[in-house]
Each structure stands twice: as C-alpha cells, then as structure tokens.
Amino acid sequence: MDALATPIAGTAAGGYPADGLQLLIGGKWQAGRGSPLRISNPATGQTLAEPTGASQEDLDAALTSAETGFALWRRTPATARAAILSRAAQLLRERTKPLARLLTLEQGKPLAQAELEITLCAETFDWYAAEAGRAYGRIIPARSPGARQMVLPEPIGPVAAFTPWNFPALLAARKVAPALAAGCSCILKPAEETPAAALGLGRALADAGLPDGVLNIVFGDPAMISRHLIASPVIRKITFTGSVPVGRSLAVLAAQQVKPCTLELGGHAPVIVLDDADIDAAAALSAIGKTRNAGQVCTSPTRFYVQRPAYERFVERFGAALGQIALGDGLDPRSEMGPLANARRIEAMERLVTDATRHQAEIVTGGAREGDRGFFWCPTLLANVPDDAAAMTEEPFGPLALVSPFDELDEAIARANRSAVGLAGYAFTRSAAAAVRLGEELEVGVLGLNSFAVSHTEAPFSGVKDSGYGYEGGSEGLAGFLHQKYVHHS
Ligand code: NAD
C-alpha cells in the first residue's frame, strides 16, 4: 500500500509521506513545478514535508485533463459512477487509521476526531454514490398533443473546488463526492498547509477505478491557483470553503467570468440558553462542542447568551468543564483537544482576549497559551463580555467562548442576529413555544435545538448573510453541480 494510505514507521516526520506529496494530474502523480512549500506539525513545529507547489504549466495541464475527463465522465452511466464512489468509500474505511494519522500530523486534531473525519468521508462517498442515481428530470404536461416538454438534468461541467485546513478530508469529500456523482470532473485545491489527507481521498478514488483526469489535485500558492483556474473557460463551477474575505474575492473573480459559485464562509454562532433548559447538560455539551477541533470549526458555538436566573450556574459549570479538557498532541490518545493549526490563530486568540478584558470581560478559565512548543491555547471562557468587544463580532476560530446574560428572549434573539454572518445558531430550552420562535426568527442557515450537531451528510448545509450561498450536503448538494436543461419536442 502507498504512502498516502500507510504511515512509514520510523521516519523523521513520524510517518508523514515527505516524498509522497505530489500533484494528481491526468491520473499521474507528479511533483509540482512551482514554488516550494513547508508543511509542519502544529503540535511540535517540526517540518513534515517540503513539497513543491503547482506552477501555471501544471494548472494548464490539470485544466486540459479536467476537460478530457469531463467528456468521458459525463457519458459514464450513473450506476458506473456510483460503483466507483462506493469502492472508494470502502477503501477509505480500510485506510481509516493511517489516513487519520496523516490528518492529525498536519492539522493537529486528536486521532479519534481524525478517524471520525475519515469515516464521514466514506459515508459521504457512499451517500452520493446512491444519490447519483436519483438525479431525476421531469416531464411537464405538454401544451399541444404529441409534444414533449422535458427537464433533463446534466452535469454543469468541470469544477474548481477550494478547501481549507480545518477539515482537510471531509470538506474535500463534501465537494468532490457530489461533483463526481453528478458527472462533473473536478480540480481540487486543498489548503497548502494540509494537502496529505485530501491526496489520500484522491488515491482512494484512483485505486477504485476513477478514470484519469476526472479528479485532479493541485496545491501551492492559493491566490495564483484560484485566479488561474477561475479565469479558464474550461471551469464551469466554483466551490469554496474558507474565510469571508477570500470568499468575497473569489466571488468577484467568478462574477467576471459569469460562473456560478457555492460559498461556505465563516460563522460566529450564537447559543441562547433559556433558564428552563437542563443547564448542567447544556454546559457539559457546550464544553465538548466548543473544543471540537480546538474551536476551528465554522459552526463552533461562540456567543453564549444565557438567561439571567441560570447565568451563574451555567458559567460555573461551563468553565469547570472547559478547565478539565485534556490538552495535548493529537497523537496522544489521552488528548481531548489538540493545538491550533498555525501561528495566525494564536495571534488572533491573544488579540481577542486582550481586547475583551480591556472591555471589562472576566476570564473564567484559560486565556493564555500553553507551553512554548507548537500552537496550544487553553480552552477559554470569558464572562460578562460586552457587545462592543471585538470577539463579539470577529470569528475567533479557536477555543474561545464568550458569555453574556439576558433577560427576555426578544433581547437574546436581537443580539444573536446582530452579526454580519449567519451560519449556525443554537438554543437550549424545554419550551416548545420558544423553540418555534427561535426556529423562525434566528438569522442562521442551520439551527441546533438542544444539540450542536447541525451538519449531516443527508441534510442541506448553508449560511445566510455574509456566511455565503449555495448548499452542501443532501440532495441540494448534488443540485449545485447540475444544470436543468429544458427540452421542448413538438
Ligand atoms: P485565510 O482566509 O487566509 O485562509 C483560509 C483558507 O483559504 C486556506 O486554506 C487557504 O488555502 C485558502 N485561501 C486563501 N487565499 C485563497 C485564495 N486566494 N484562493 C483560494 N483559496 C485561498 O484564513 P486563515 O487564517 O487560514 O483561517 C482563518 C479564517 O478562515 C477563520 O477566521 C475562518 O473565518 C476562516 N475559515 C473558515 C473555514 C470554514 O469552514 N468556513 C475553514 C477554514 C478557515
């Protein structure tokens, strides 16, 4: 088995495929001819690999290959496309442990979370394998006898997919699986910090029999790659997950070429805790939800608005639970939270905590970096955070929770909605009436009631406001890669 599926024991980089990080173009694995990159382990700072990124010539080769791949793949029956996706899902299951190890090495999350991520990739491939056969068209009652009025779904064309470093495997799977199921070819650009896990998906698909050129993977200078790919007439659809500023710039590039975009951007999730909720359970669940992937999740719960009678108890229980989270290298099975992914996140934590305390917020737990090796930050709870603290508007994208009391539900909903972004929102309550109101009035794309689970393979996922547009997940995720062609036959 190859380096992207099995770690090589005893290598200096702890099993990372230092020489195996190559581009996938036209079915061939090849070294990039662009600028050099450095990939490092966020738990130790140790260099894992120094591959070369894609050059413009590499990108042109990937575009030609995606064009050829599309001509073949669009004519491949849905059942054959599905069989390859299902085989790839099976291979991912067999390779879960070595792939999870690569993911932890380059991204930092605890191994158990990395294994779950690979398992969810397999689930995504399986789900869209089945969905490939459900891209139904429709017959419209004809305007005249003998005529046919038909809607025929067809793949939209070669896709450029850009994915971030926080879920390097799953966020790639959520774009690649529906694109391939729909009959599109794809050029995937994983984040330059974490290419190995996405390359592992590419290896599984190639080993499952995906024809050459249907999936191409390139990484390197992100701005150069996105500009080059989006400008090419070959690309017919853009899909991006990442920050609001980068999403905005890609949307501009796409608009200049009149190309459709799906954008999954940042969030700043509010959590409304009513005093009728099970406060202890909400606090315990909040500590788990906040520290998942060290808070580097676009749906991470961040702004906690707690009804005043329950405020003190919630803050005390939440702070205690956060203080007990075991921080450590993701490869250590005792670790419940790993490091942040890079130095940028540590700088953001320092800046946001300093600003909040200047605005009279109180540190209940954490508030500081842990050790001087890697990028560890203690799970942090700030209480009585005023609305004008920077952290209340800027997504922390780290293990930082902010708590503030409220009196009436109207006030909590208004403060929750005051954000420019609207991705996930959460509420804890036993009241059916409050749940209905929250469902109707919170300006978010996905809502968890007494739960932090808002992203499932079979369900649509999308933001409102600056959090982006278009859908991933569910049948809506497939629809984004289809054009509905209307055919009138008289
Ligand atoms: P960033 O905007 O610099 O980079 C985010 C990702 O976008 C990286 O993976 C990078 O490869 C990619 N990227 C950057 N410029 C690009 C370009 N011109 N074309 C294509 N891809 C490009 O942010 P960061 O400092 O790495 O991460 C912090 C912020 O990013 C967070 O505050 C969060 O809002 C956002 N983010 C969101 C998600 C998400 O799931 N929605 C994931 C990761 C990061």
Side-chain angles (χ1 to χ4, degrees), residues 427-464:
F428 287 83
T429 180
R430 288 188 173 106
S431 158
V436 168
R437 268 201 71 191
L438 289 156
E440 290 177 356
E441 294 181 30
L442 278 181
E443 295 170 0
V444 293
V446 290
L447 176 64
L449 295 173
N450 301 323
S451 163
F452 287 117
V454 287
S455 174
H456 294 117
T457 309
E458 65 278 16
F461 181 89
S462 175
V464 297

PDB file of all heavy atoms in Angstrom, residues 427-464:
ATOM      1  N   ALA A 427     -29.775  26.756  20.446  1.00  0.00           N
ATOM      2  CA  ALA A 427     -30.519  27.190  21.629  1.00  0.00           C
ATOM      3  C   ALA A 427     -30.792  25.978  22.501  1.00  0.00           C
ATOM      4  O   ALA A 427     -30.940  24.849  22.003  1.00  0.00           O
ATOM      5  CB  ALA A 427     -31.817  27.858  21.217  1.00  0.00           C
ATOM      6  N   PHE A 428     -30.850  26.240  23.815  1.00  0.00           N
ATOM      7  CA  PHE A 428     -31.195  25.190  24.769  1.00  0.00           C
ATOM      8  C   PHE A 428     -32.447  25.640  25.510  1.00  0.00           C
ATOM      9  O   PHE A 428     -32.460  26.703  26.140  1.00  0.00           O
ATOM     10  CB  PHE A 428     -30.032  24.944  25.740  1.00  0.00           C
ATOM     11  CG  PHE A 428     -28.882  24.233  25.078  1.00  0.00           C
ATOM     12  CD1 PHE A 428     -27.946  24.943  24.345  1.00  0.00           C
ATOM     13  CD2 PHE A 428     -28.785  22.853  25.162  1.00  0.00           C
ATOM     14  CE1 PHE A 428     -26.904  24.281  23.713  1.00  0.00           C
ATOM     15  CE2 PHE A 428     -27.749  22.183  24.525  1.00  0.00           C
ATOM     16  CZ  PHE A 428     -26.802  22.889  23.801  1.00  0.00           C
ATOM     17  N   THR A 429     -33.497  24.834  25.405  1.00  0.00           N
ATOM     18  CA  THR A 429     -34.758  25.148  26.072  1.00  0.00           C
ATOM     19  C   THR A 429     -35.624  23.902  26.123  1.00  0.00           C
ATOM     20  O   THR A 429     -35.479  23.006  25.284  1.00  0.00           O
ATOM     21  CB  THR A 429     -35.513  26.284  25.337  1.00  0.00           C
ATOM     22  OG1 THR A 429     -36.726  26.554  26.034  1.00  0.00           O
ATOM     23  CG2 THR A 429     -35.860  25.913  23.890  1.00  0.00           C
ATOM     24  N   ARG A 430     -36.545  23.880  27.117  1.00  0.00           N
ATOM     25  CA  ARG A 430     -37.536  22.796  27.135  1.00  0.00           C
ATOM     26  C   ARG A 430     -38.873  23.303  26.603  1.00  0.00           C
ATOM     27  O   ARG A 430     -39.848  22.568  26.550  1.00  0.00           O
ATOM     28  CB  ARG A 430     -37.735  22.291  28.566  1.00  0.00           C
ATOM     29  CG  ARG A 430     -36.565  21.491  29.107  1.00  0.00           C
ATOM     30  CD  ARG A 430     -36.971  20.888  30.456  1.00  0.00           C
ATOM     31  NE  ARG A 430     -35.974  19.983  30.982  1.00  0.00           N
ATOM     32  CZ  ARG A 430     -35.158  20.267  31.998  1.00  0.00           C
ATOM     33  NH1 ARG A 430     -35.222  21.442  32.592  1.00  0.00           N
ATOM     34  NH2 ARG A 430     -34.303  19.374  32.437  1.00  0.00           N
ATOM     35  N   SER A 431     -38.932  24.580  26.243  1.00  0.00           N
ATOM     36  CA  SER A 431     -40.193  25.174  25.829  1.00  0.00           C
ATOM     37  C   SER A 431     -40.425  24.997  24.332  1.00  0.00           C
ATOM     38  O   SER A 431     -39.623  25.464  23.508  1.00  0.00           O
ATOM     39  CB  SER A 431     -40.182  26.674  26.177  1.00  0.00           C
ATOM     40  OG  SER A 431     -41.114  27.365  25.363  1.00  0.00           O
ATOM     41  N   ALA A 432     -41.536  24.351  23.976  1.00  0.00           N
ATOM     42  CA  ALA A 432     -41.859  24.153  22.559  1.00  0.00           C
ATOM     43  C   ALA A 432     -42.125  25.504  21.894  1.00  0.00           C
ATOM     44  O   ALA A 432     -41.732  25.738  20.748  1.00  0.00           O
ATOM     45  CB  ALA A 432     -43.080  23.237  22.414  1.00  0.00           C
ATOM     46  N   ALA A 433     -42.787  26.414  22.634  1.00  0.00           N
ATOM     47  CA  ALA A 433     -43.116  27.720  22.054  1.00  0.00           C
ATOM     48  C   ALA A 433     -41.839  28.502  21.754  1.00  0.00           C
ATOM     49  O   ALA A 433     -41.685  29.112  20.684  1.00  0.00           O
ATOM     50  CB  ALA A 433     -44.010  28.508  23.009  1.00  0.00           C
ATOM     51  N   ALA A 434     -40.883  28.465  22.695  1.00  0.00           N
ATOM     52  CA  ALA A 434     -39.611  29.184  22.463  1.00  0.00           C
ATOM     53  C   ALA A 434     -38.877  28.559  21.279  1.00  0.00           C
ATOM     54  O   ALA A 434     -38.294  29.273  20.444  1.00  0.00           O
ATOM     55  CB  ALA A 434     -38.747  29.133  23.718  1.00  0.00           C
ATOM     56  N   ALA A 435     -38.913  27.218  21.181  1.00  0.00           N
ATOM     57  CA  ALA A 435     -38.220  26.534  20.077  1.00  0.00           C
ATOM     58  C   ALA A 435     -38.803  26.964  18.724  1.00  0.00           C
ATOM     59  O   ALA A 435     -38.054  27.203  17.768  1.00  0.00           O
ATOM     60  CB  ALA A 435     -38.322  25.024  20.248  1.00  0.00           C
ATOM     61  N   VAL A 436     -40.120  27.093  18.665  1.00  0.00           N
ATOM     62  CA  VAL A 436     -40.757  27.521  17.400  1.00  0.00           C
ATOM     63  C   VAL A 436     -40.299  28.932  17.045  1.00  0.00           C
ATOM     64  O   VAL A 436     -39.916  29.225  15.913  1.00  0.00           O
ATOM     65  CB  VAL A 436     -42.300  27.439  17.510  1.00  0.00           C
ATOM     66  CG1 VAL A 436     -42.969  28.150  16.340  1.00  0.00           C
ATOM     67  CG2 VAL A 436     -42.740  25.985  17.576  1.00  0.00           C
ATOM     68  N   ARG A 437     -40.314  29.813  18.041  1.00  0.00           N
ATOM     69  CA  ARG A 437     -39.875  31.203  17.793  1.00  0.00           C
ATOM     70  C   ARG A 437     -38.436  31.253  17.320  1.00  0.00           C
ATOM     71  O   ARG A 437     -38.092  31.955  16.361  1.00  0.00           O
ATOM     72  CB  ARG A 437     -39.976  32.030  19.089  1.00  0.00           C
ATOM     73  CG  ARG A 437     -41.277  32.737  19.245  1.00  0.00           C
ATOM     74  CD  ARG A 437     -41.121  33.897  20.220  1.00  0.00           C
ATOM     75  NE  ARG A 437     -40.341  35.006  19.661  1.00  0.00           N
ATOM     76  CZ  ARG A 437     -39.883  36.034  20.370  1.00  0.00           C
ATOM     77  NH1 ARG A 437     -40.126  36.085  21.666  1.00  0.00           N
ATOM     78  NH2 ARG A 437     -39.202  37.002  19.808  1.00  0.00           N
ATOM     79  N   LEU A 438     -37.568  30.514  17.994  1.00  0.00           N
ATOM     80  CA  LEU A 438     -36.152  30.515  17.617  1.00  0.00           C
ATOM     81  C   LEU A 438     -35.974  29.985  16.198  1.00  0.00           C
ATOM     82  O   LEU A 438     -35.199  30.521  15.410  1.00  0.00           O
ATOM     83  CB  LEU A 438     -35.352  29.657  18.614  1.00  0.00           C
ATOM     84  CG  LEU A 438     -35.222  30.295  20.001  1.00  0.00           C
ATOM     85  CD1 LEU A 438     -34.964  29.249  21.073  1.00  0.00           C
ATOM     86  CD2 LEU A 438     -34.095  31.335  19.982  1.00  0.00           C
ATOM     87  N   GLY A 439     -36.739  28.944  15.867  1.00  0.00           N
ATOM     88  CA  GLY A 439     -36.671  28.369  14.517  1.00  0.00           C
ATOM     89  C   GLY A 439     -37.067  29.382  13.465  1.00  0.00           C
ATOM     90  O   GLY A 439     -36.509  29.410  12.362  1.00  0.00           O
ATOM     91  N   GLU A 440     -38.019  30.231  13.802  1.00  0.00           N
ATOM     92  CA  GLU A 440     -38.495  31.210  12.820  1.00  0.00           C
ATOM     93  C   GLU A 440     -37.660  32.482  12.787  1.00  0.00           C
ATOM     94  O   GLU A 440     -37.550  33.133  11.754  1.00  0.00           O
ATOM     95  CB  GLU A 440     -39.958  31.576  13.121  1.00  0.00           C
ATOM     96  CG  GLU A 440     -40.914  30.429  12.829  1.00  0.00           C
ATOM     97  CD  GLU A 440     -42.360  30.758  13.204  1.00  0.00           C
ATOM     98  OE1 GLU A 440     -42.604  31.844  13.755  1.00  0.00           O
ATOM     99  OE2 GLU A 440     -43.218  29.906  12.951  1.00  0.00           O
ATOM    100  N   GLU A 441     -37.067  32.876  13.914  1.00  0.00           N
ATOM    101  CA  GLU A 441     -36.511  34.236  13.995  1.00  0.00           C
ATOM    102  C   GLU A 441     -34.990  34.337  13.984  1.00  0.00           C
ATOM    103  O   GLU A 441     -34.455  35.407  13.732  1.00  0.00           O
ATOM    104  CB  GLU A 441     -37.072  34.944  15.239  1.00  0.00           C
ATOM    105  CG  GLU A 441     -38.570  35.178  15.109  1.00  0.00           C
ATOM    106  CD  GLU A 441     -39.168  35.896  16.308  1.00  0.00           C
ATOM    107  OE1 GLU A 441     -38.453  36.691  16.948  1.00  0.00           O
ATOM    108  OE2 GLU A 441     -40.347  35.643  16.598  1.00  0.00           O
ATOM    109  N   LEU A 442     -34.285  33.245  14.253  1.00  0.00           N
ATOM    110  CA  LEU A 442     -32.811  33.354  14.221  1.00  0.00           C
ATOM    111  C   LEU A 442     -32.340  33.396  12.772  1.00  0.00           C
ATOM    112  O   LEU A 442     -32.741  32.559  11.954  1.00  0.00           O
ATOM    113  CB  LEU A 442     -32.173  32.186  14.965  1.00  0.00           C
ATOM    114  CG  LEU A 442     -32.085  32.326  16.487  1.00  0.00           C
ATOM    115  CD1 LEU A 442     -31.403  31.110  17.087  1.00  0.00           C
ATOM    116  CD2 LEU A 442     -31.366  33.605  16.907  1.00  0.00           C
ATOM    117  N   GLU A 443     -31.495  34.368  12.459  1.00  0.00           N
ATOM    118  CA  GLU A 443     -30.998  34.538  11.082  1.00  0.00           C
ATOM    119  C   GLU A 443     -29.757  33.684  10.887  1.00  0.00           C
ATOM    120  O   GLU A 443     -28.622  34.151  10.935  1.00  0.00           O
ATOM    121  CB  GLU A 443     -30.681  36.019  10.827  1.00  0.00           C
ATOM    122  CG  GLU A 443     -31.927  36.893  10.879  1.00  0.00           C
ATOM    123  CD  GLU A 443     -31.593  38.382  10.871  1.00  0.00           C
ATOM    124  OE1 GLU A 443     -30.402  38.746  10.828  1.00  0.00           O
ATOM    125  OE2 GLU A 443     -32.539  39.173  10.942  1.00  0.00           O
ATOM    126  N   VAL A 444     -29.995  32.378  10.700  1.00  0.00           N
ATOM    127  CA  VAL A 444     -28.896  31.427  10.515  1.00  0.00           C
ATOM    128  C   VAL A 444     -29.284  30.435   9.421  1.00  0.00           C
ATOM    129  O   VAL A 444     -30.467  30.276   9.102  1.00  0.00           O
ATOM    130  CB  VAL A 444     -28.590  30.655  11.837  1.00  0.00           C
ATOM    131  CG1 VAL A 444     -28.025  31.591  12.892  1.00  0.00           C
ATOM    132  CG2 VAL A 444     -29.828  29.928  12.357  1.00  0.00           C
ATOM    133  N   GLY A 445     -28.270  29.761   8.879  1.00  0.00           N
ATOM    134  CA  GLY A 445     -28.545  28.757   7.838  1.00  0.00           C
ATOM    135  C   GLY A 445     -28.889  27.402   8.419  1.00  0.00           C
ATOM    136  O   GLY A 445     -29.635  26.628   7.821  1.00  0.00           O
ATOM    137  N   VAL A 446     -28.332  27.096   9.608  1.00  0.00           N
ATOM    138  CA  VAL A 446     -28.614  25.811  10.272  1.00  0.00           C
ATOM    139  C   VAL A 446     -28.789  26.086  11.766  1.00  0.00           C
ATOM    140  O   VAL A 446     -28.116  26.944  12.336  1.00  0.00           O
ATOM    141  CB  VAL A 446     -27.471  24.784  10.042  1.00  0.00           C
ATOM    142  CG1 VAL A 446     -27.434  24.319   8.599  1.00  0.00           C
ATOM    143  CG2 VAL A 446     -26.100  25.322  10.445  1.00  0.00           C
ATOM    144  N   LEU A 447     -29.713  25.345  12.385  1.00  0.00           N
ATOM    145  CA  LEU A 447     -30.061  25.611  13.787  1.00  0.00           C
ATOM    146  C   LEU A 447     -30.076  24.310  14.579  1.00  0.00           C
ATOM    147  O   LEU A 447     -30.719  23.338  14.176  1.00  0.00           O
ATOM    148  CB  LEU A 447     -31.448  26.269  13.829  1.00  0.00           C
ATOM    149  CG  LEU A 447     -32.055  26.541  15.201  1.00  0.00           C
ATOM    150  CD1 LEU A 447     -31.214  27.545  15.991  1.00  0.00           C
ATOM    151  CD2 LEU A 447     -33.481  27.072  15.062  1.00  0.00           C
ATOM    152  N   GLY A 448     -29.378  24.293  15.716  1.00  0.00           N
ATOM    153  CA  GLY A 448     -29.401  23.142  16.614  1.00  0.00           C
ATOM    154  C   GLY A 448     -30.181  23.484  17.867  1.00  0.00           C
ATOM    155  O   GLY A 448     -29.843  24.447  18.556  1.00  0.00           O
ATOM    156  N   LEU A 449     -31.224  22.719  18.152  1.00  0.00           N
ATOM    157  CA  LEU A 449     -32.003  22.928  19.373  1.00  0.00           C
ATOM    158  C   LEU A 449     -31.673  21.806  20.347  1.00  0.00           C
ATOM    159  O   LEU A 449     -31.877  20.630  20.024  1.00  0.00           O
ATOM    160  CB  LEU A 449     -33.499  22.956  19.039  1.00  0.00           C
ATOM    161  CG  LEU A 449     -33.942  24.135  18.144  1.00  0.00           C
ATOM    162  CD1 LEU A 449     -35.402  23.996  17.726  1.00  0.00           C
ATOM    163  CD2 LEU A 449     -33.713  25.476  18.841  1.00  0.00           C
ATOM    164  N   ASN A 450     -31.110  22.152  21.487  1.00  0.00           N
ATOM    165  CA  ASN A 450     -30.611  21.192  22.474  1.00  0.00           C
ATOM    166  C   ASN A 450     -29.584  20.255  21.850  1.00  0.00           C
ATOM    167  O   ASN A 450     -29.472  19.082  22.232  1.00  0.00           O
ATOM    168  CB  ASN A 450     -31.762  20.386  23.103  1.00  0.00           C
ATOM    169  CG  ASN A 450     -32.768  21.295  23.790  1.00  0.00           C
ATOM    170  OD1 ASN A 450     -32.389  22.293  24.398  1.00  0.00           O
ATOM    171  ND2 ASN A 450     -34.043  20.977  23.665  1.00  0.00           N
ATOM    172  N   SER A 451     -28.842  20.748  20.879  1.00  0.00           N
ATOM    173  CA  SER A 451     -27.874  19.918  20.154  1.00  0.00           C
ATOM    174  C   SER A 451     -26.888  20.824  19.429  1.00  0.00           C
ATOM    175  O   SER A 451     -27.243  21.916  18.992  1.00  0.00           O
ATOM    176  CB  SER A 451     -28.636  19.079  19.119  1.00  0.00           C
ATOM    177  OG  SER A 451     -27.744  18.566  18.148  1.00  0.00           O
ATOM    178  N   PHE A 452     -25.635  20.322  19.290  1.00  0.00           N
ATOM    179  CA  PHE A 452     -24.656  21.052  18.477  1.00  0.00           C
ATOM    180  C   PHE A 452     -24.408  20.340  17.142  1.00  0.00           C
ATOM    181  O   PHE A 452     -23.492  20.718  16.414  1.00  0.00           O
ATOM    182  CB  PHE A 452     -23.335  21.212  19.240  1.00  0.00           C
ATOM    183  CG  PHE A 452     -23.407  22.228  20.352  1.00  0.00           C
ATOM    184  CD1 PHE A 452     -23.217  21.850  21.667  1.00  0.00           C
ATOM    185  CD2 PHE A 452     -23.670  23.562  20.079  1.00  0.00           C
ATOM    186  CE1 PHE A 452     -23.296  22.794  22.692  1.00  0.00           C
ATOM    187  CE2 PHE A 452     -23.746  24.504  21.086  1.00  0.00           C
ATOM    188  CZ  PHE A 452     -23.561  24.121  22.394  1.00  0.00           C
ATOM    189  N   ALA A 453     -25.205  19.334  16.829  1.00  0.00           N
ATOM    190  CA  ALA A 453     -24.996  18.588  15.574  1.00  0.00           C
ATOM    191  C   ALA A 453     -25.866  19.208  14.482  1.00  0.00           C
ATOM    192  O   ALA A 453     -27.084  19.022  14.477  1.00  0.00           O
ATOM    193  CB  ALA A 453     -25.345  17.121  15.781  1.00  0.00           C
ATOM    194  N   VAL A 454     -25.256  19.969  13.588  1.00  0.00           N
ATOM    195  CA  VAL A 454     -26.037  20.656  12.550  1.00  0.00           C
ATOM    196  C   VAL A 454     -25.528  20.360  11.144  1.00  0.00           C
ATOM    197  O   VAL A 454     -25.989  20.957  10.178  1.00  0.00           O
ATOM    198  CB  VAL A 454     -26.052  22.189  12.766  1.00  0.00           C
ATOM    199  CG1 VAL A 454     -26.935  22.565  13.931  1.00  0.00           C
ATOM    200  CG2 VAL A 454     -24.641  22.733  12.931  1.00  0.00           C
ATOM    201  N   SER A 455     -24.550  19.469  11.025  1.00  0.00           N
ATOM    202  CA  SER A 455     -24.041  19.151   9.690  1.00  0.00           C
ATOM    203  C   SER A 455     -24.080  17.641   9.506  1.00  0.00           C
ATOM    204  O   SER A 455     -23.340  16.905  10.172  1.00  0.00           O
ATOM    205  CB  SER A 455     -22.603  19.672   9.559  1.00  0.00           C
ATOM    206  OG  SER A 455     -22.071  19.253   8.330  1.00  0.00           O
ATOM    207  N   HIS A 456     -24.984  17.200   8.639  1.00  0.00           N
ATOM    208  CA  HIS A 456     -25.117  15.766   8.365  1.00  0.00           C
ATOM    209  C   HIS A 456     -25.049  15.538   6.857  1.00  0.00           C
ATOM    210  O   HIS A 456     -25.532  16.377   6.083  1.00  0.00           O
ATOM    211  CB  HIS A 456     -26.440  15.230   8.920  1.00  0.00           C
ATOM    212  CG  HIS A 456     -26.526  15.264  10.416  1.00  0.00           C
ATOM    213  ND1 HIS A 456     -27.444  16.021  11.109  1.00  0.00           N
ATOM    214  CD2 HIS A 456     -25.771  14.653  11.355  1.00  0.00           C
ATOM    215  CE1 HIS A 456     -27.255  15.863  12.415  1.00  0.00           C
ATOM    216  NE2 HIS A 456     -26.243  15.038  12.586  1.00  0.00           N
ATOM    217  N   THR A 457     -24.489  14.414   6.462  1.00  0.00           N
ATOM    218  CA  THR A 457     -24.322  14.086   5.042  1.00  0.00           C
ATOM    219  C   THR A 457     -25.633  14.245   4.266  1.00  0.00           C
ATOM    220  O   THR A 457     -25.647  14.756   3.142  1.00  0.00           O
ATOM    221  CB  THR A 457     -23.832  12.629   4.917  1.00  0.00           C
ATOM    222  OG1 THR A 457     -22.710  12.481   5.766  1.00  0.00           O
ATOM    223  CG2 THR A 457     -23.446  12.280   3.499  1.00  0.00           C
ATOM    224  N   GLU A 458     -26.737  13.819   4.871  1.00  0.00           N
ATOM    225  CA  GLU A 458     -28.006  13.734   4.154  1.00  0.00           C
ATOM    226  C   GLU A 458     -28.811  15.039   4.209  1.00  0.00           C
ATOM    227  O   GLU A 458     -29.908  15.100   3.645  1.00  0.00           O
ATOM    228  CB  GLU A 458     -28.846  12.569   4.717  1.00  0.00           C
ATOM    229  CG  GLU A 458     -29.312  12.725   6.178  1.00  0.00           C
ATOM    230  CD  GLU A 458     -28.244  12.340   7.213  1.00  0.00           C
ATOM    231  OE1 GLU A 458     -27.068  12.246   6.853  1.00  0.00           O
ATOM    232  OE2 GLU A 458     -28.609  12.148   8.390  1.00  0.00           O
ATOM    233  N   ALA A 459     -28.289  16.062   4.868  1.00  0.00           N
ATOM    234  CA  ALA A 459     -29.076  17.300   5.072  1.00  0.00           C
ATOM    235  C   ALA A 459     -28.386  18.495   4.418  1.00  0.00           C
ATOM    236  O   ALA A 459     -27.156  18.544   4.343  1.00  0.00           O
ATOM    237  CB  ALA A 459     -29.225  17.552   6.575  1.00  0.00           C
ATOM    238  N   PRO A 460     -29.170  19.489   3.960  1.00  0.00           N
ATOM    239  CA  PRO A 460     -28.546  20.674   3.370  1.00  0.00           C
ATOM    240  C   PRO A 460     -27.825  21.497   4.426  1.00  0.00           C
ATOM    241  O   PRO A 460     -28.272  21.587   5.566  1.00  0.00           O
ATOM    242  CB  PRO A 460     -29.738  21.449   2.788  1.00  0.00           C
ATOM    243  CG  PRO A 460     -30.915  20.985   3.559  1.00  0.00           C
ATOM    244  CD  PRO A 460     -30.643  19.571   3.967  1.00  0.00           C
ATOM    245  N   PHE A 461     -26.729  22.124   4.013  1.00  0.00           N
ATOM    246  CA  PHE A 461     -25.932  22.966   4.904  1.00  0.00           C
ATOM    247  C   PHE A 461     -25.597  24.228   4.139  1.00  0.00           C
ATOM    248  O   PHE A 461     -25.095  24.174   3.016  1.00  0.00           O
ATOM    249  CB  PHE A 461     -24.645  22.227   5.293  1.00  0.00           C
ATOM    250  CG  PHE A 461     -23.760  23.007   6.230  1.00  0.00           C
ATOM    251  CD1 PHE A 461     -23.918  22.894   7.599  1.00  0.00           C
ATOM    252  CD2 PHE A 461     -22.785  23.853   5.734  1.00  0.00           C
ATOM    253  CE1 PHE A 461     -23.100  23.613   8.469  1.00  0.00           C
ATOM    254  CE2 PHE A 461     -21.968  24.580   6.595  1.00  0.00           C
ATOM    255  CZ  PHE A 461     -22.133  24.461   7.964  1.00  0.00           C
ATOM    256  N   SER A 462     -25.883  25.382   4.739  1.00  0.00           N
ATOM    257  CA  SER A 462     -25.631  26.647   4.049  1.00  0.00           C
ATOM    258  C   SER A 462     -25.723  27.784   5.039  1.00  0.00           C
ATOM    259  O   SER A 462     -26.378  27.660   6.071  1.00  0.00           O
ATOM    260  CB  SER A 462     -26.693  26.847   2.971  1.00  0.00           C
ATOM    261  OG  SER A 462     -26.523  28.115   2.369  1.00  0.00           O
ATOM    262  N   GLY A 463     -25.090  28.901   4.713  1.00  0.00           N
ATOM    263  CA  GLY A 463     -25.212  30.079   5.545  1.00  0.00           C
ATOM    264  C   GLY A 463     -26.158  31.090   4.919  1.00  0.00           C
ATOM    265  O   GLY A 463     -26.591  30.931   3.773  1.00  0.00           O
ATOM    266  N   VAL A 464     -26.465  32.128   5.702  1.00  0.00           N
ATOM    267  CA  VAL A 464     -27.167  33.302   5.171  1.00  0.00           C
ATOM    268  C   VAL A 464     -26.256  34.510   5.434  1.00  0.00           C
ATOM    269  O   VAL A 464     -25.220  34.387   6.078  1.00  0.00           O
ATOM    270  CB  VAL A 464     -28.566  33.496   5.822  1.00  0.00           C
ATOM    271  CG1 VAL A 464     -29.472  32.312   5.498  1.00  0.00           C
ATOM    272  CG2 VAL A 464     -28.455  33.674   7.339  1.00  0.00           C
TER     273      VAL A 464
END
